[in-house]
């Protein structure tokens, strides 16, 4: 049983800027693409930071925004104390919080919540940008159809991981809430089954109505209960 990976959810056509991109151009890109933030790259496409609307607004509030003399100048145009226009490198948040494509979606969601960010640039082994994943992308996990969740429980958990027959447990799913009914051989299997189903992408809650023939001791949760049989994350 494997979780959905970041690479399955990310957008690979990413709007990005270089560290020397002007403040005005960053603001224009955010507005044109209706996004709230974008990664900042160096000359070798490595992610060096992230610039967001809040970064721009903070700079705007702290600095002295000025209009250029040109008639089509934008209100975002900001001039530094030395007269040069502010660049992305000066307003970005750094270091950037990034994630790898092979990491699991739940791990990305936990990282996003822990660091208080709304988007994660996805990078390769050399920290080069390959995509971006947002909170909205991760929320798609909880919009997974009930029929698909049920199929994954039966094929991946009941049969694939636990080695049981497809009809060993009756599985019902409604709005992401899973109800399990049936009778297994050992009580320890109930705890393992419940834990594995709880960790399946798209599952909101699990209602267990499973009993057992034998009342064997419940062992400590095995390693694969958290990360899959292969130990992959």
């Amino acid at each position: 049983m494997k979780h959905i990976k970041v690479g399955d959810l990310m957008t690979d056509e990413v709007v990005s800027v270089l560290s020397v991109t002007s403040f005005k151009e960053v603001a224009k890109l955010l507005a044109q693409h209706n996004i709230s933030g974008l990664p900042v790259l160096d000359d070798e496409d490595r992610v060096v930071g992230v610039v967001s609307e809040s970064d721009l607004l903070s700079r705007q509030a702290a600095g002295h925004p000025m209009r250029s003399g040109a008639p089509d100048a934008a209100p975002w145009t900001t001039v530094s104390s030395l007269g040069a226009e502010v660049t992305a490198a000066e307003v970005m948040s750094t270091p950037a919080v990034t994630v790898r494509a092979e990491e699991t979606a739940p791990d990305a969601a936990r990282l996003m919540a822990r660091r208080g960010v709304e988007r994660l640039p996805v990078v390769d082994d050399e920290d080069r940008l390959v995509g971006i994943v947002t909170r909205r992308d991760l929320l798609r996990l909880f919009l997974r159809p009930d029929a698909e969740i049920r199929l994954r429980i039966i094929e991946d958990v009941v049969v694939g991981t636990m080695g049981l027959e497809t009809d060993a447990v009756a599985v019902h799913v409604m709005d992401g809430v899973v109800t399990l009914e049936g009778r297994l051989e050992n009580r320890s299997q109930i705890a393992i089954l419940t834990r594995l189903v709880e960790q399946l992408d798209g599952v909101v809650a699990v209602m267990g109505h499973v009993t057992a023939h034998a009342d064997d001791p419940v062992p400590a949760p095995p390693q694969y209960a958290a990360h899959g049989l292969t130990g992959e994350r």
Side-chain angles (χ1 to χ4, degrees):
M1 186 179 70
K2 297 180 180 179
H3 280 297
I4 291 176
K5 304 293 185 181
V6 168
D8 299 322
L9 297 174
M10 72 180 189
T11 299
D12 53 14
E13 294 183 2
V14 187
V15 180
S16 62
V17 295
L18 295 175
S19 58
V20 296
T21 302
S22 71
F23 184 104
K24 176 182 175 180
E25 185 62 26
V26 172
K28 184 186 297 184
L29 287 171
L30 293 178
Q32 285 179 345
H33 295 277
N34 193 29
I35 53 178
S36 60
L38 44 76
V40 182
L41 312 181
D42 65 14
D43 293 336
E44 296 183 347
D45 289 339
R46 292 189 176 90
V47 179
V48 294
V50 173
V51 63
S52 66
E53 288 177 334
S54 59
D55 293 323
L56 298 185
L57 291 171
S58 295
R59 178 74 185 212
Q60 188 89 339
H64 300 284
M66 299 174 59
R67 280 186 179 274
S68 165
D72 60 345
W76 285 105
T77 303
T78 299
V79 179
S80 73
S81 58
L82 296 178
E85 190 171 358
V86 174
T87 64
E90 295 176 71
V91 296
M92 68 183 182
S93 297
T94 186
V97 182
T98 61
V99 69
R100 301 291 176 85
E102 62 271 17
E103 294 188 44
T104 69
D107 282 344
R110 284 190 287 269
L111 176 61
M112 198 174 287
R114 187 169 66 248
R115 300 297 296 270
V117 296
E118 297 183 358
R119 67 199 59 77
L120 294 170
V122 185
V123 298
D124 62 16
D125 291 339
E126 296 182 350
D127 292 328
R128 290 188 172 91
L129 183 69
V130 296
I132 197 164
V133 64
T134 66
R135 285 184 180 178
R136 183 177 299 177
D137 296 326
L138 296 176
L139 285 174
R140 284 162 45 195
L141 293 178
F142 295 97
L143 300 178
R144 200 174 192 181
D146 290 340
E148 183 181 341
I149 294 174
R150 181 178 182 275
L151 183 63
R152 296 277 64 81
I153 291 172
I154 294 173
E155 292 187 353
D156 295 349
V157 178
V158 175
V159 177
T161 300
M162 301 194 67
L164 304 173
E165 297 295 328
T166 56
D167 59 353
V169 178
V171 180
H172 307 281
V173 185
M174 181 174 292
D175 297 330
V177 178
V178 178
T179 301
L180 304 172
E181 299 177 342
R183 190 171 180 83
L184 300 178
E185 287 298 320
N186 302 309
R187 185 165 63 93
S188 61
Q189 291 176 299
I190 299 174
I192 294 172
L193 172 65
T194 302
R195 183 179 292 272
L196 290 173
V197 173
E198 286 175 340
Q199 295 179 352
L200 192 67
D201 295 322
V203 171
V204 175
V206 178
M207 308 293 290
H209 302 289
V210 181
T211 58
H213 295 288
D215 192 26
D216 63 332
V218 179
Q223 183 66 25
Y224 66 76
H227 306 305
L229 285 173
T230 62
E232 295 181 0
R233 292 183 66 85

